[in-house]
Structures are given as structure tokens and as C-alpha cells.
Amino acid sequence: MADPRQKLDIVAPFFNEAQSAPAFAALLDRLEEAVSSRFGMAVHKILVDDGSLDDGARRFSQALSGSWEIVRLSRNFGKEVAVLAGLDRSRGDMVLIMDSDLQHSMDISLKMIAELVESHDIDVVYAQNDRREASWRRSQLARLFYSLINSSQRFDIPENAGDFRVMRGPVVRALTSLRDKRRFNKGLFAWAGFRQKSIPYSPENRAIGTSKWSRLNLIAFSLEGFTSFSVIPLRIISLSGMLAALAGVVYGAKVFFEVMFYGVAVPGYPSLMVAVVLLGGLNLTLLGLIGEYVWVTLSESKDRPVYLVRDVVLSETAPDNAPGASRG
């Protein structure tokens, strides 16, 4: 059993989750009771309102019990940044990150906490989605993404591992020192290192509301990961350019020998258009990719804060360590 003086902070970002507020608050209550009885740990809940347009913050403040706080950001900064805002507020000996859409189960949460409590050789326990329900095409694309982004690196980003994890306090402090403006948490968690262990899990079905992630969001998120942690896209485009140049040399030699030895007329318009389209497309692709890397560099070079807090609402029993915080 863990030291009774230890505290577990639960960080949960949300965006337009007013409908799921009562059910998620009830799940947190059950989780707090189980953590208290099994591990003797006090629980503090940190919810981050990522610029919701509904009354989710009010619904959560009415449904939550015990020690809690709701950090309301000034606008929608994205889930990656909202997680950082929650970690910045955390002071616990252990921190559990979970989603507020009820897809992260209480059983897996307790299993991860138990792994961390029982083993002093582990710093992080994360849930790894086994994706049994995913289509073959999606699984292959995910495998290709992780193969590319992990190539030529000194660390590996675990496949299908997200924010659902439990970490010790020192790990959280280390992560909050990484102030990347364009955040890719999967990469940051892996880059930070420490001793990590995975637990397979299958997400629960979303009972209320709809997912905020579209295919375009996933593509943009993948591109964010590449531009933040990998140079492979630039190398692929460079290799493609070299192959195109080599193909041009071979084709030129073929045309030369056909004209010199066989008297074959040199093809004109079709071959010219193919060359122009191919090389033009490669140049535009490379220019756009370089632009993505330049934009990331520009974003990181600006001295802006990662996020802005509108206000913080505290329960009566929550510790007050934020200026301008109010009791809910």
C-alpha cells in the first residue's frame, strides 16, 4: 500500500463535454473511492476547459465532489496544450491523465496505478490501444506512421499509446519544463525517457456526444508529429528528387543512342510535359514541406506563452495556488 500522505492528481481536459459531465463526475467519484481504499491515496481532480462553447464548466462544477478545480483556458488551444495546463497545476506524487469522454475506463486506471505503486523501478505506466476494432487499412497506416517517425532516432514513440497514463511527480515536473509551442505529446512523453511500462487496453465505446477528431485532424496531427520529431519527410522528398534526376539521365541517354544509332525521332510534347509535371510537383512538394518546418521554427522562436488561463474555479477543499482563483 502506498504512503497515506501521498496524493494522486487526475488531469482531464475537456471541450464541449457538457452532456458527459454527470457521468464522468460519477466515474471520478468511484475512482477516488477505489484509490483511497486500495492505495490510501488522497485524490485531487484537475479538469481543464479547453475553450468550450457550451456550459460544460458549470455542469462539471455542479457534478464534481471532493477536492477539484477547473482551469478554464481563454480559448481553444487544443488537447495537447490543455494536458500541459493540467500538468502545470498538478502537485501530486502521482498524476493520472485521462479523457473526459468516458472512453478511458476505471479498471485500466486502477491497474496502471497499481503497477506504479507496487514497482519502484517504473516511472510511467501508459495504456496502449490494441486496436482490435480498427480496419486493416487504418492499422497499416498507423504502423507506417510509427515506422517512419521512429527511424533514425535514439528513442521510440510507442505505437497506439496516447495520453492515458500514470506518472510519478518527478516525471511530470520534467515534462512541464518542455515548453514546446507546437506540442506532440506522444513524442514528448517518449523523448523525456524515464522507465516506462505499457498495459494493453481497448477504449470504451463513447456513450455520449461525438468525437472531435476528424480524418483531417488526424492527418494534421500526424504532420505535427513529423515536423516536431522527424526529418524523414525531407529525406524522402530529397531521395525522390535524386531518383527523378537519375531517371532523367537514363532517359536522356536512351534518346541519345536512339537518335545516333537508329535514327529515331526525339519525342517532343508528351515527354516534355511529363518531365515538367513531375519535376514541378516534386519542387512544390518540397517547398511546402520546408514551409511546414519553417512555420514550426517560427512558432517556437516567438516568446508567447503556450496557453492563457481565463480563470480557475476551486472546490471548497481544493488547495489554492492560483492567483485570481474563485471557489465554486
Side-chain angles (χ1 to χ4, degrees):
M1 180 176 291
D3 190 321
R5 296 171 296 177
Q6 287 192 324
K7 183 174 71 172
L8 171 73
D9 286 345
I10 301 177
V11 173
F14 67 90
F15 176 68
N16 293 343
E17 295 288 353
Q19 289 181 313
S20 64
F24 184 64
L27 184 148
L28 290 181
D29 288 341
R30 296 195 301 273
L31 180 58
E32 178 178 6
E33 182 179 356
V35 168
S36 178
S37 61
R38 288 182 56 179
F39 310 113
M41 302 176 70
V43 174
H44 177 61
K45 306 151 194 168
I46 305 172
L47 277 68
V48 182
D49 182 358
D50 188 22
S52 297
L53 302 177
D54 58 13
D55 62 342
R58 181 184 63 84
R59 295 284 298 275
F60 273 111
S61 65
Q62 293 174 345
L64 290 169
S65 62
S67 176
W68 57 266
E69 61 184 274
I70 299 177
V71 182
R72 297 202 297 173
L73 303 185
S74 61
R75 64 169 176 85
N76 178 245
F77 286 90
K79 180 186 175 184
E80 309 290 291
V81 173
V83 169
L84 174 64
L87 296 180
D88 282 342
R89 292 284 298 173
S90 170
R91 298 294 183 271
D93 301 283
M94 297 182 186
V95 177
L96 165 67
I97 305 175
M98 64 189 308
D99 289 347
S100 57
D101 57 8
L102 304 174
Q103 290 191 289
H104 293 165
S105 71
M106 173 177 162
D107 291 339
I108 298 298
S109 299
L110 291 173
K111 188 174 181 180
M112 291 193 298
I113 295 170
E115 288 281 354
L116 205 60
V117 168
E118 293 168 1
S119 176
H120 296 290
D121 295 328
I122 299 175
D123 302 308
V124 180
V125 180
Y126 61 88
Q128 194 167 25
N129 189 347
D130 55 19
R131 289 193 179 276
R132 295 174 182 172
E133 78 289 349
S135 64
W136 180 86
R137 183 179 63 178
R138 185 172 180 180
S139 298
Q140 295 305 312
L141 288 175
R143 187 171 289 109
L144 175 62
F145 169 79
Y146 286 103
S147 298
L148 289 175
I149 201 170
N150 285 329
S151 59
S152 303
Q153 298 215 72
R154 296 180 181 231
F155 63 94
D156 286 338
I157 300 175
E159 185 174 347
N160 302 328
D163 297 327
F164 190 23
R165 60 187 58 220
V166 181
M167 303 174 287
R168 297 192 188 276
V171 179
V172 175
R173 312 297 173 255
L175 288 171
T176 55
S177 70
L178 307 178
R179 310 306 290 184
D180 295 38
K181 308 296 189 300
R182 312 269 293 185
R183 301 190 71 81
F184 182 67
N185 283 347
K186 293 173 183 282
L188 293 174
F189 290 146
W191 182 91
F194 295 96
R195 293 161 295 185
Q196 304 192 19
K197 180 178 180 179
S198 65
I199 290 181
Y201 90 111
S202 295
E204 301 290 332
N205 293 326
R206 188 183 178 100
I208 303 173
T210 57
S211 174
K212 311 301 187 299
W213 289 89
S214 65
R215 290 184 178 179
L216 289 178
N217 293 140
L218 291 174
I219 293 174
F221 187 60
S222 300
L223 184 59
E224 191 80 49
F226 276 123
T227 54
S228 298
F229 285 94
S230 179
V231 74
I232 288 299
L234 288 176
R235 291 178 178 172
I236 291 176
I237 295 298
S238 298
L239 180 60
S240 300
M242 293 176 60
L243 292 176
L246 179 61
V249 171
V250 172
Y251 183 72
K254 173 180 177 295
V255 170
F256 175 79
F257 281 103
E258 287 181 344
V259 172
M260 293 297 295
F261 296 101
Y262 301 103
V264 178
V266 179
Y269 181 77
S271 59
L272 179 63
M273 287 303 299
V274 169
V276 169
V277 171
L278 175 62
L279 296 178
L282 284 174
N283 285 330
L284 289 175
T285 301
L286 179 59
L287 183 62
L289 192 57
I290 291 176
E292 290 286 342
Y293 281 92
V294 170
W295 173 244
V296 171
T297 303
L298 178 64
S299 299
E300 295 297 333
S301 65
K302 294 179 180 178
D303 191 23
R304 294 175 180 171
V306 182
Y307 61 88
L308 296 175
V309 176
R310 179 185 176 190
D311 57 29
V312 179
V313 181
L314 304 170
S315 67
E316 294 298 328
T317 58
D320 186 358
N321 60 346
S326 60
R327 297 289 176 178

